[in-house]
Amino acid sequence: MGDCVFCEIAAKEAPAKIVYEDEQFIAFPDIHPKAPFHVLLIPKKHIPSLNEVGKEDTELMGRLLLMAQKVAQENHLKGYKLAMHVGKEGGQEVDHLHLHLLAG
Ligand code: AMP
């Protein structure tokens, strides 16, 4: 996984204001927010992108969506948008699977 900033955040080796955490996931605000509410949801497991997700990650991916629902509810978001960039050509800058949760 090399120098992965999101792995460092998950390991508390890099700073982030954690808004949600459980044994598998962590959520923190995007450092360059594109909306009034902009949080990134990541698995602690290093998966470079959706293209590297395997069948063994089926439950993890389902839980990622449920986590988005939970973070949205906890923050009283009435509506929100989820986005995932896949690959450099898809706009992905950080090579650690993450879901953008945007609102406002
Ligand atoms: P993506 O284009 O989907 O790879 O988005 C990566 C996002 O991560 C961008 O919106 C960045 O602003 C954000 N980002 C990069 N480094 C950090 C960091 N250290 N803390 C919080 N957000 C970050």
Side-chain angles (χ1 to χ4, degrees):
M1 69 185 79
D3 293 327
C4 172
V5 66
F6 287 0
C7 282
E8 288 176 5
I9 288 173
K12 316 278 171 58
E13 290 165 0
K17 183 177 169 283
I18 294 160
V19 299
Y20 176 85
E21 181 171 14
D22 63 28
E23 68 284 351
Q24 264 188 313
F25 299 100
I26 201 159
F28 51 89
D30 194 294
I31 205 167
H32 298 303
K34 277 83 178 174
F37 186 97
H38 188 175
V39 162
L40 301 173
L41 316 179
I42 70 164
K44 292 180 177 175
K45 175 183 177 183
H46 183 80
I47 303 173
S49 82
L50 186 65
N51 283 338
E52 285 76 31
V53 167
K55 280 207 176 105
E56 68 278 11
D57 300 311
T58 301
E59 190 184 341
L60 180 140
M61 294 306 289
R63 291 191 65 197
L64 182 63
L65 287 175
L66 288 175
M67 176 191 169
Q69 181 199 65
K70 187 178 170 73
V71 172
Q73 283 171 354
E74 284 177 355
N75 287 278
H76 312 290
L77 304 180
K78 288 188 178 145
Y80 51 92
K81 182 163 83 173
L82 299 175
M84 184 179 285
H85 299 138
V86 185
K88 200 185 286 181
E89 289 78 5
Q92 185 176 358
E93 293 169 9
V94 177
D95 292 333
H96 182 125
L97 184 99
H98 54 281
L99 193 59
H100 294 257
L101 170 55
L102 301 128

